[in-house]
Amino acid sequence: MIRSLIPDNELKTSRGWHWQDALMILVIFALAILVVQTAAKFNTAYDPKLIISTEVKVLPSYTLQTLVRMTLAYFLSLIFSLVYSYTAYRSKAAASILIPILDILQSIPVLSFLPGVVLALIATFPNQRIGVEIASIILIFTGMAWNMVFSFYQSLNGIPSELIEASEVYRLNAWQRFFSLELPAGVIGLVWNSVMSWAGGWFFLMAIESFSLGNRNYHLPGLGSYLSVAAQNGDYQAITFGVIDLILVIILTDIFVWRPLIAWAEKFKFQTVEAEQVPESAILDFLQKSPTVRALSLQIHRLTDTFDQAIARKFQPVPTSPKKYGSSNSLSRFINWLFFSGVYAIVIWGIWEGFIMLSKVDPAHWKQIFWGAILTALRVFVALFLSLLWTVPVGVAIGRNQKLAKFLQPIVQIVASVPATALFPILLLGLIQVGGGLKIGAVALMMLGTMWYLLFNVIAGAQAIPSELLEAATVYKLSLVDRWKTLILPGIFPYLMTGIITAVGGAWNASIVSEYVQFQGKTLKTSGLGETISSATSSGDYPMLLAATLVMSALVVLTNRTIWRPLYKLAFDKYKLMS
């Protein structure tokens, strides 16, 4: 069961109380106090004239405030991903709407969400900081959620049919089937995409915590705004201290959060023989050996079993075909009707409002938008190609070799999480010296918003390959080329396609900070769709912003539908490990 931290066969084993339990409780208590005290600041009055300090002494407070925003955005993303993906998986009718909408949503840049979200929440909470805080959390959510949704949806569709049939034979209800089969099937992908989502939140943090709308500037105390102000001022000392602080946070997060989760997720890997090498975590070992955690896990295990039994007595087993689930009775038909009615109403209203706003864009601006779209599209595909060249072999190496993973995983997470825009002034100075400037720099920065989606999905795919297949390849003495051709590439292909789809959306999103850079009091830009969106946001030109956003969304959806989706379908029709 997904809900147990301690393995079922060890739940009843207990030891006496020891000092580690007291230490754990004190740490949790201290963290709770810090979080509550930090979150209390979110409800103060908003100061539009707030000056972001770049002194070192403010870093602890700024870092805590940023971590609270990131954590809230992550859990919002996780809940959204589970609900959205599961709804699309269970209902073919809902999937026909939800998956295309997801393509559109993940193609919309953060800055395009920004005006509507911020202005609406400021109007809801006038003169209160909570409005801007909620807006920042929602905007971080838009940089985290989409790859998690794609990952979990891909995992659900990749469940072997034998396991689905077994769940029907044992007459599991929907609740039991979700926690016993469907959620465990997606845990590995969810964990690795959570790492990527967390890194994605850092990537756009500078644009989210410190931004302009027309003639108004909005600043929130945080690590992102600290780095943003330092970069704009060319304060390399502050940038250095900010990046060091960020790296320390990433290392601690890796030790105390991601490594334990990656090691814990290994137990949900589908295999019939035990792997020779598995991810390890001292923190997870400590928690599993703690009597306090054991007692808590045992109580949770008993409560969930009782709840499962109660649910089983009241509900019938799930239907035979998961794609027909939710459409076989009158209640489901009413829910579908309500869902589609709401979608159609929102679409009609949005088209009408959009048409009025787009009528204000003159032909010269449309020409600028389409030319910028061509230039940005070229940069996106160059960045994708260069990223694929190294992420596939490195991702497979990390996913299959735990000794190498133990060394490289923290490094990869650190590099992926450092906001590229914080280091961009240094990169830009170097490019100016060798020539090329922002035209080459835009591709380099775009790669930093692309390659991590590919890398983390390839790692997840490599880890998900059953150990017995790798052992069979060794027994049959397959050459390295044959092993890649017949096992590794087919095994990671569904995960790779998920990574490509989200990476392309990430590259388009990254164009807004790679084609328009504020550096030492100057604005550097190169022609492109991202530059148009950034300029429109900064000047408050909302018709131009909407037009550029629609063109970007149309291009992302078009490439997804004509190129990546057919390959995505091929991944499940031909390259599922089991059928």
Side-chain angles (χ1 to χ4, degrees):
M1 297 289 281
I2 192 77
R3 289 156 287 186
S4 295
L5 174 67
I6 309 299
D8 292 348
N9 60 345
E10 298 181 13
L11 274 173
K12 296 181 180 180
T13 305
S14 181
R15 296 182 294 114
W17 176 273
H18 54 83
W19 67 269
Q20 287 93 335
D21 292 293
L23 177 62
M24 181 178 63
I25 292 173
L26 287 175
V27 169
I28 293 173
F29 185 69
L31 286 175
I33 292 176
L34 285 174
V35 170
V36 170
Q37 288 180 341
T38 303
K41 299 177 182 179
F42 289 15
N43 204 31
T44 58
Y46 179 69
D47 181 9
K49 297 181 181 179
L50 174 70
I51 297 176
I52 300 298
S53 173
T54 54
E55 296 182 12
V56 178
K57 65 181 181 181
V58 303
L59 276 174
S61 175
Y62 282 10
T63 302
L64 282 172
Q65 293 180 66
T66 292
L67 285 174
V68 169
R69 295 184 193 108
M70 292 274 288
T71 302
L72 291 173
Y74 170 74
F75 281 107
L76 179 62
S77 301
L78 180 61
I79 294 170
F80 174 83
S81 300
L82 295 177
V83 173
Y84 198 100
S85 303
Y86 194 71
T87 302
Y89 168 67
R90 281 300 197 179
S91 172
K92 188 175 181 179
S96 65
I97 297 293
L98 292 178
I99 300 305
I101 288 178
L102 187 63
D103 282 340
I104 296 172
L105 289 175
Q106 67 112 12
S107 70
I108 299 176
V110 170
L111 290 188
S112 297
F113 283 108
L114 193 146
V117 172
V118 172
L119 295 176
L121 287 167
I122 288 176
T124 305
F125 302 95
N127 302 319
Q128 293 295 314
R129 180 175 159 180
I130 188 65
V132 185
E133 290 288 358
I134 295 175
S136 70
I137 291 169
I138 293 175
L139 292 171
I140 297 171
F141 158 84
T142 64
M144 286 185 171
W146 318 130
N147 59 297
M148 293 172 66
V149 176
F150 277 121
S151 171
F152 190 50
Y153 183 67
Q154 169 249 310
S155 298
L156 290 173
N157 282 290
I159 297 175
S161 57
E162 293 90 340
L163 296 183
I164 296 176
E165 293 171 1
S167 69
E168 293 166 357
V169 170
Y170 285 99
R171 302 177 64 82
L172 299 183
N173 58 53
W175 173 267
Q176 293 170 321
R177 177 165 164 173
F178 178 74
F179 279 102
S180 300
L181 174 61
E182 291 158 343
L183 185 53
V187 165
I188 293 178
L190 270 178
V191 169
W192 279 105
N193 275 278
S194 292
V195 178
M196 181 61 246
S197 291
W198 194 263
W202 287 119
F203 189 89
F204 288 105
L205 197 64
M206 291 172 63
I208 290 170
E209 289 186 344
S210 182
F211 56 88
S212 300
L213 283 179
N215 58 356
R216 299 188 64 183
N217 296 320
Y218 297 91
H219 301 286
L220 288 171
L223 188 53
S225 57
Y226 179 95
L227 289 168
S228 178
V229 171
Q232 289 178 21
N233 296 338
D235 188 344
Y236 295 107
Q237 182 180 357
I239 291 175
T240 301
F241 281 117
V243 171
I244 291 173
D245 178 76
L246 176 58
I247 290 174
L248 288 175
V249 170
I250 294 167
I251 292 173
L252 292 174
T253 305
D254 174 64
I255 294 173
F256 289 99
V257 180
W258 301 128
R259 284 193 195 179
L261 283 175
I262 290 169
W264 172 76
E266 183 71 10
K267 74 175 186 176
F268 300 107
K269 181 177 176 180
F270 180 75
Q271 57 187 16
T272 57
V273 298
E274 186 176 353
E276 293 182 2
Q277 296 180 336
V278 295
E280 298 177 351
S281 167
I283 300 298
L284 181 64
D285 292 341
F286 166 76
L287 291 175
Q288 290 181 335
K289 294 175 181 177
S290 167
T292 302
V293 176
R294 284 170 172 271
L296 183 61
S297 294
L298 180 59
Q299 293 302 318
I300 293 175
H301 193 78
R302 288 171 177 170
L303 286 174
T304 53
D305 281 348
T306 302
F307 184 78
D308 285 346
Q309 292 171 8
I311 292 290
R313 287 193 294 267
K314 291 187 177 181
F315 295 94
Q316 295 296 323
V318 294
T320 300
S321 173
K323 294 300 180 183
K324 296 180 180 179
Y325 185 89
S327 60
S328 59
N329 54 54
S330 58
L331 177 61
S332 296
R333 286 194 293 270
F334 172 75
I335 292 174
N336 283 336
W337 175 85
L338 194 63
F339 170 78
F340 285 110
S341 297
V343 169
Y344 292 146
I346 292 173
V347 168
I348 292 172
W349 174 80
I351 290 175
W352 175 253
E353 292 293 331
F355 179 78
I356 294 175
M357 190 173 289
L358 290 175
S359 64
K360 301 176 182 178
V361 181
D362 59 56
H365 285 162
W366 280 110
K367 183 178 179 181
Q368 174 189 340
I369 290 171
F370 286 118
W371 175 243
I374 294 173
L375 294 176
T376 301
L378 291 174
R379 295 187 186 108
V380 166
F381 283 100
V382 170
L384 178 64
F385 175 74
L386 294 176
S387 298
L388 282 170
L389 288 180
W390 77 271
T391 54
V392 173
V394 172
V396 170
I398 294 175
R400 297 311 318 162
N401 189 326
Q402 288 305 315
K403 292 182 180 179
L404 184 64
K406 189 177 294 186
F407 171 72
L408 286 181
Q409 180 185 314
I411 297 175
V412 168
Q413 290 180 25
I414 290 170
V415 177
S417 299
V418 174
T421 41
L423 302 177
F424 199 57
I426 300 172
L427 173 64
L428 191 59
L429 286 176
L431 289 171
I432 289 174
Q433 296 296 323
V434 301
L438 197 60
K439 292 182 180 179
I440 297 177
V443 175
L445 190 59
M446 205 174 286
M447 281 184 65
L448 294 174
T450 302
M451 56 192 184
W452 309 118
Y453 292 100
L454 298 170
L455 181 63
F456 286 116
N457 275 284
V458 171
I459 292 173
Q463 282 196 341
I465 297 175
S467 300
E468 56 265 35
L469 295 184
L470 293 167
E471 292 182 6
T474 302
V475 170
Y476 285 101
K477 298 181 180 181
L478 294 183
S479 66
L480 182 63
V481 173
D482 289 336
R483 183 174 298 207
W484 271 84
K485 182 179 178 181
T486 61
L487 176 58
I488 295 176
L489 285 178
I492 68 171
F493 194 60
Y495 292 85
L496 180 61
M497 294 315 305
T498 299
I500 287 176
I501 291 173
T502 52
V504 170
W508 283 100
N509 265 275
S511 69
I512 65 176
V513 293
S514 61
E515 296 176 347
Y516 183 96
V517 179
Q518 292 180 327
F519 176 61
Q520 293 184 338
K522 300 178 182 179
T523 299
L524 305 178
K525 51 188 179 181
T526 184
S527 298
L529 202 52
E531 178 269 328
T532 302
I533 290 173
S534 295
S535 298
T537 302
S538 180
S539 62
D541 188 349
Y542 300 133
M544 189 74 166
L545 175 63
L546 176 62
T549 301
L550 287 176
V551 171
M552 181 177 286
S553 299
L555 286 172
V556 175
V557 173
L558 181 64
T559 53
N560 280 354
R561 290 290 145 182
T562 57
I563 301 174
W564 309 125
R565 283 295 167 187
L567 291 174
Y568 190 79
K569 185 175 184 300
L570 175 66
F572 291 103
D573 290 346
K574 188 174 181 179
Y575 295 112
K576 274 178 71 171
L577 289 174
M578 295 186 65
S579 60

